[in-house]
């Protein structure tokens, strides 16, 4: 339907849903004149929160009539586009488990956060940046275009939707004693200052993993080869805000 709207030169395509629905619709509008309107109806509503779109559907609908449009960056992982957040490792496993559960909401999501913390280990990654290459262990690596993972919890507080950069958030696994400390930084929206966290801003990066596995793409799990090429596409999507 979004593709048809582009072909027929519609002005706006609206989607009612969460980050997965926004991805499904919004990625069809990249590099077109058609604007995306968002009516937040998902669980975490990460992109909506980042763009300060009201979570009340009636107030979100009012924005369409005002038609205040801004352009935001989008990102690709091996040419598969995403708009808000992607990642590999622990968070991708959480997203994969959550997607397979018929129950929605924070309680279900939190259950998989806890369960996978105990059974998921750090893995070895090679990070290839434009100016350097290094190896690291990581519990998970997030690719943040927006600053929101959902539920008003930012993974990279300084991430911007219009800076032409993607934030690569490399997170080591905290032990039981470190977990409350890292958690406090996370919940206080200071993840960039937390121990065992490194954030690199870059227009592109290649990440080589030990094996092929799922990647979290705007909350949906997608199977990828072990090598991931992440690239920013500046100001490539029109959004009503």
């Amino acid at each position: 339907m979004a593709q048809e709207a582009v072909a027929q030169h519609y002005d706006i395509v609206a989607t009612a849903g969460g980050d997965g629905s926004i991805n499904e619709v919004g990625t069809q509008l990249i590099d077109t004149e058609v604007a995306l309107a968002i009516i937040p109806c998902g669980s975490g509503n990460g992109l909506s929160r980042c763009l300060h779109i009201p979570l009340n559907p009636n107030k979100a609908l009012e924005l369409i009539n005002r038609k205040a449009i801004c352009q935001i960056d989008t990102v690709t992982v091996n040419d598969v586009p995403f708009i808000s957040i992607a990642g590999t490792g622990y968070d991708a496993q959480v997203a994969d488990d959550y997607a397979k559960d018929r129950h929605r909401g924070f309680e279900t999501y939190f259950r998989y956060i806890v369960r996978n913390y105990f059974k998921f280990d750090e893995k070895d990654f090679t990070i290839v940046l434009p100016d350097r290459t290094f190896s690291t262990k990581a519990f998970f690596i997030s690719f943040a275009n927006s600053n929101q993972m959902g539920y008003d919890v930012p993974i990279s507080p300084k991430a911007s939707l219009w800076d032409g950069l993607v934030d690569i958030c490399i997170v080591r696994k905290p032990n039981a004693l470190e977990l409350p400390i890292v958690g406090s930084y996370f919940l206080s929206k200071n993840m960039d200052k937390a121990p065992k966290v490194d954030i690199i801003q870059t227009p592109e990066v290649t990440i080589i993993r030990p094996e092929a596995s799922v990647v979290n793409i705007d909350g949906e799990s997608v199977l990828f080869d072990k090598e991931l090429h992440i690239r920013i596409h500046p100001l490539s999507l029109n959004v009503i805000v």
Side-chain angles (χ1 to χ4, degrees), residues 22-43:
I22 292 168
N23 176 284
E24 186 175 356
V25 175
T27 54
Q28 309 308 310
L29 311 182
I30 293 172
D31 292 325
T32 75
E33 296 299 317
V34 184
L36 173 68
I38 299 169
I39 305 162
C41 294
S43 301

Side-chain angles (χ1 to χ4, degrees), residues 2-119:
Q3 290 172 349
E4 290 175 7
V6 172
Q8 296 177 30
H9 306 290
Y10 276 74
D11 297 308
I12 299 167
V13 175
T15 178
D19 290 328
S21 300
I22 292 168
N23 176 284
E24 186 175 356
V25 175
T27 54
Q28 309 308 310
L29 311 182
I30 293 172
D31 292 325
T32 75
E33 296 299 317
V34 184
L36 173 68
I38 299 169
I39 305 162
C41 294
S43 301
N45 297 309
L47 186 65
S48 302
R49 293 176 191 271
C50 184
L51 290 170
H52 304 291
I53 294 172
L55 299 185
N56 179 290
N58 290 328
K59 291 182 179 180
L61 283 166
E62 290 174 3
L63 296 183
I64 299 175
N65 292 329
R66 298 176 193 169
K67 201 181 178 183
I69 296 174
C70 77
Q71 292 179 310
I72 65 171
D73 301 338
T74 60
V75 189
T76 51
V77 180
N78 293 359
D79 296 323
V80 175
F82 73 90
I83 301 172
S84 187
I85 296 282
T88 180
Y90 164 74
D91 71 323
Q93 187 60 56
V94 171
D96 189 46
D97 290 342
Y98 182 73
K100 293 173 182 176
D101 197 309
R102 62 186 180 87
H103 298 97
R104 302 282 94 183
F106 182 75
E107 184 178 339
T108 303
Y109 194 73
F110 185 74
R111 183 169 70 250
Y112 289 118
I113 287 174
V114 174
R115 181 181 299 177
N116 281 290
Y117 169 78
F118 291 103
K119 71 177 186 179

Side-chain angles (χ1 to χ4, degrees), residues 1-240:
M1 291 175 66
Q3 290 172 349
E4 290 175 7
V6 172
Q8 296 177 30
H9 306 290
Y10 276 74
D11 297 308
I12 299 167
V13 175
T15 178
D19 290 328
S21 300
I22 292 168
N23 176 284
E24 186 175 356
V25 175
T27 54
Q28 309 308 310
L29 311 182
I30 293 172
D31 292 325
T32 75
E33 296 299 317
V34 184
L36 173 68
I38 299 169
I39 305 162
C41 294
S43 301
N45 297 309
L47 186 65
S48 302
R49 293 176 191 271
C50 184
L51 290 170
H52 304 291
I53 294 172
L55 299 185
N56 179 290
N58 290 328
K59 291 182 179 180
L61 283 166
E62 290 174 3
L63 296 183
I64 299 175
N65 292 329
R66 298 176 193 169
K67 201 181 178 183
I69 296 174
C70 77
Q71 292 179 310
I72 65 171
D73 301 338
T74 60
V75 189
T76 51
V77 180
N78 293 359
D79 296 323
V80 175
F82 73 90
I83 301 172
S84 187
I85 296 282
T88 180
Y90 164 74
D91 71 323
Q93 187 60 56
V94 171
D96 189 46
D97 290 342
Y98 182 73
K100 293 173 182 176
D101 197 309
R102 62 186 180 87
H103 298 97
R104 302 282 94 183
F106 182 75
E107 184 178 339
T108 303
Y109 194 73
F110 185 74
R111 183 169 70 250
Y112 289 118
I113 287 174
V114 174
R115 181 181 299 177
N116 281 290
Y117 169 78
F118 291 103
K119 71 177 186 179
F120 201 88
D121 294 321
E122 288 184 334
K123 298 187 183 301
D124 294 307
F125 295 89
T126 299
I127 314 295
V128 183
L129 293 161
D131 60 346
R132 61 191 171 109
T133 298
F134 64 94
S135 296
T136 184
K137 288 186 176 293
F139 193 38
F140 66 92
I141 303 177
S142 289
F143 326 134
N145 188 33
S146 81
N147 63 9
Q148 273 276 348
M149 292 188 74
Y151 302 103
D152 201 26
V153 177
I155 180 63
S156 185
K158 295 179 182 177
S160 167
L161 286 162
W162 34 76
D163 63 354
L165 300 169
V166 59
D167 286 30
I168 307 302
C169 311
I170 303 169
V171 182
R172 299 287 306 272
K173 185 175 184 177
N175 60 38
L177 294 176
E178 296 167 328
L179 191 59
I181 299 170
V182 175
S184 67
Y185 279 95
F186 191 64
L187 295 174
S188 64
K189 304 180 182 181
N190 289 301
M191 193 65 170
D192 54 326
K193 300 180 178 68
K196 294 199 168 183
V197 176
D198 291 302
I199 298 178
I200 301 166
Q201 294 184 313
T202 179
E204 64 179 316
V205 63
T206 296
I207 296 176
I208 303 170
R209 308 178 293 170
E211 58 190 6
S213 62
V214 294
V215 171
N216 169 17
I217 299 285
D218 282 333
E220 306 294 330
S221 58
V222 181
L223 181 62
F224 280 86
D225 291 334
K226 68 178 185 178
E227 188 166 314
L228 305 174
H229 181 65
I230 297 101
R231 184 163 68 94
I232 198 84
H233 299 263
L235 306 180
S236 51
L237 178 63
N238 294 311
V239 182
I240 293 179

